[in-house]
Protein backbone atom coordinates (compact mmCIF):
# COMPACT_ATOMS: atom_id res chain seq x y z
CA UNK A 1 0.00 0.00 0.00
CA UNK A 2 1.21 3.39 -0.91
CA UNK A 3 0.57 5.98 1.64
CA UNK A 4 -0.03 9.47 0.33
CA UNK A 5 1.94 12.13 2.07
CA UNK A 6 -0.12 15.14 2.78
CA UNK A 7 1.62 18.39 3.44
CA UNK A 8 -0.17 20.60 5.92
CA UNK A 9 -0.95 24.07 4.66
CA UNK A 10 1.05 26.86 6.28
CA UNK A 11 -0.56 28.61 9.24
CA UNK A 12 -2.24 31.94 8.51
CA UNK A 13 -0.14 35.02 9.07
CA UNK A 14 -0.95 36.94 12.17
CA UNK A 15 -1.06 40.72 12.61
CA UNK A 16 2.50 40.79 13.99
CA UNK A 17 3.87 39.33 10.77
CA UNK A 18 2.19 42.05 8.67
CA UNK A 19 3.56 44.89 10.79
CA UNK A 20 6.22 46.93 9.00
CA UNK A 21 7.60 50.05 10.55
CA UNK A 22 7.40 53.31 8.64
CA UNK A 23 11.16 53.72 8.78
CA UNK A 24 11.86 50.33 7.20
CA UNK A 25 9.24 50.85 4.44
CA UNK A 26 10.73 54.29 3.62
CA UNK A 27 14.23 52.79 3.44
CA UNK A 28 12.99 49.99 1.18
CA UNK A 29 11.30 52.50 -1.13
CA UNK A 30 14.45 54.62 -1.35
CA UNK A 31 16.69 51.64 -2.11
CA UNK A 32 14.39 50.17 -4.78
CA UNK A 33 14.81 51.02 -8.45
CA UNK A 34 12.58 53.61 -10.11
CA UNK A 35 9.25 52.35 -11.47
CA UNK A 36 9.44 50.68 -14.87
CA UNK A 37 8.43 52.67 -17.92
CA UNK A 38 4.95 51.91 -19.31
CA UNK A 39 4.90 49.39 -22.15
CA UNK A 40 5.21 50.72 -25.68
CA UNK A 41 1.98 51.05 -27.66
CA UNK A 42 1.25 48.21 -30.10
CA UNK A 43 2.80 48.48 -33.57
CA UNK A 44 -0.54 47.90 -35.31
CA UNK A 45 -4.04 49.04 -34.41
CA UNK A 46 -6.27 46.55 -32.64
CA UNK A 47 -8.72 44.50 -34.73
CA UNK A 48 -12.15 46.07 -34.55
CA UNK A 49 -10.81 49.64 -34.49
CA UNK A 50 -11.51 52.17 -37.25
CA UNK A 51 -8.00 51.65 -38.68
CA UNK A 52 -8.32 47.84 -38.64
CA UNK A 53 -12.01 46.86 -38.73
CA UNK A 54 -11.17 43.19 -39.36
CA UNK A 55 -8.14 40.91 -39.06
CA UNK A 56 -8.08 40.55 -42.86
CA UNK A 57 -7.76 44.33 -43.29
CA UNK A 58 -4.14 44.30 -42.08
CA UNK A 59 -2.68 44.13 -45.62
CA UNK A 60 -5.02 46.77 -47.10
CA UNK A 61 -2.45 49.59 -47.21
CA UNK A 62 -0.05 47.36 -49.18
CA UNK A 63 -2.77 46.01 -51.47
CA UNK A 64 -2.27 42.51 -50.10
CA UNK A 65 -5.77 42.06 -48.70
CA UNK A 66 -8.76 40.09 -49.98
CA UNK A 67 -12.05 42.02 -49.97
CA UNK A 68 -14.93 40.68 -47.89
CA UNK A 69 -17.79 39.72 -50.22
CA UNK A 70 -20.45 40.28 -47.55
CA UNK A 71 -19.39 43.43 -45.72
CA UNK A 72 -21.04 45.93 -48.12
CA UNK A 73 -24.03 43.74 -49.08
CA UNK A 74 -25.69 41.82 -46.26
CA UNK A 75 -23.09 42.58 -43.60
CA UNK A 76 -20.30 40.36 -42.37
CA UNK A 77 -21.20 37.98 -39.57
CA UNK A 78 -17.57 37.46 -38.53
CA UNK A 79 -16.98 41.08 -37.49
CA UNK A 80 -13.47 41.91 -36.33
CA UNK A 81 -12.40 38.25 -36.65
CA UNK A 82 -13.15 38.18 -40.41
CA UNK A 83 -10.15 37.01 -42.45
CA UNK A 84 -11.17 39.35 -45.29
CA UNK A 85 -10.78 43.11 -45.67
CA UNK A 86 -13.53 45.48 -44.55
CA UNK A 87 -11.67 48.59 -45.77
CA UNK A 88 -12.00 47.86 -49.51
CA UNK A 89 -14.63 49.70 -51.54
CA UNK A 90 -17.96 48.04 -52.33
CA UNK A 91 -17.06 46.81 -55.86
CA UNK A 92 -13.42 45.94 -55.19
CA UNK A 93 -13.87 42.16 -55.26
CA UNK A 94 -15.53 42.29 -58.70
CA UNK A 95 -13.00 44.83 -60.00
CA UNK A 96 -10.07 42.60 -59.02
CA UNK A 97 -11.77 39.56 -60.56
CA UNK A 98 -12.26 41.40 -63.87
CA UNK A 99 -8.64 42.56 -63.77
CA UNK A 100 -7.36 38.98 -63.30
CA UNK A 101 -9.59 37.76 -66.11
CA UNK A 102 -8.27 40.48 -68.46
CA UNK A 103 -4.66 39.55 -67.60
CA UNK A 104 -5.41 35.92 -68.48
CA UNK A 105 -7.08 36.91 -71.76
CA UNK A 106 -4.13 39.12 -72.71
CA UNK A 107 -1.65 36.35 -71.90
CA UNK A 108 -3.68 33.90 -74.01
CA UNK A 109 -3.72 36.34 -76.97
CA UNK A 110 0.06 36.82 -76.69
CA UNK A 111 0.65 33.05 -76.61
CA UNK A 112 -1.61 32.53 -79.62
CA UNK A 113 0.12 35.25 -81.63
CA UNK A 114 3.58 33.70 -81.19
CA UNK A 115 4.85 31.26 -83.81
CA UNK A 116 4.78 27.64 -82.62
CA UNK A 117 7.95 26.68 -80.76
CA UNK A 118 9.43 30.21 -80.63
CA UNK A 119 8.90 31.09 -76.95
CA UNK A 120 7.25 29.02 -74.31
CA UNK A 121 5.29 31.14 -71.87
CA UNK A 122 4.36 29.43 -68.63
CA UNK A 123 1.58 30.59 -66.35
CA UNK A 124 3.41 29.12 -63.38
CA UNK A 125 7.01 29.97 -62.47
CA UNK A 126 9.38 27.04 -62.66
CA UNK A 127 11.64 26.26 -59.74
Amino acid sequence: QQQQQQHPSPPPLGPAEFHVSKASSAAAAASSSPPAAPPAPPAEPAPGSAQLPSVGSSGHVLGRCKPCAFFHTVGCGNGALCQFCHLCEAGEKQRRRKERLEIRRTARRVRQSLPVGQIKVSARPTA
Side-chain angles (χ1 to χ4, degrees):
Q1 289 182 352
Q2 289 184 349
Q3 188 177 10
Q4 267 189 342
Q5 293 181 353
Q6 293 182 352
H7 298 285
S9 59
L13 299 176
E17 294 162 321
F18 279 112
H19 179 71
V20 176
S21 69
K22 290 182 182 180
S24 65
S25 64
S31 67
S32 66
S33 62
E44 291 185 4
S49 65
Q51 297 87 8
L52 190 65
S54 67
V55 175
S57 300
S58 63
H60 181 79
V61 176
L62 302 173
R64 304 186 91 196
C65 61
K66 293 182 178 181
C68 181
F70 305 106
F71 183 69
H72 293 287
T73 56
V74 295
C76 180
N78 294 328
L81 298 177
C82 183
Q83 298 298 312
F84 298 95
C85 184
H86 290 181
L87 291 173
C88 287
E89 297 293 322
E92 184 66 16
K93 184 169 176 65
Q94 290 78 13
R95 186 193 69 75
R96 289 185 188 185
R97 194 174 110 233
K98 287 180 181 179
E99 184 179 329
R100 283 192 308 268
L101 184 60
E102 186 57 37
I103 289 169
R104 287 186 197 132
R105 286 180 182 157
T106 303
R108 186 179 309 126
R109 282 188 217 120
V110 169
R111 278 194 313 267
Q112 290 173 350
S113 68
L114 295 174
V116 177
Q118 182 182 6
I119 299 176
K120 185 176 182 180
V121 179
S122 175
R124 295 182 189 160
T126 56

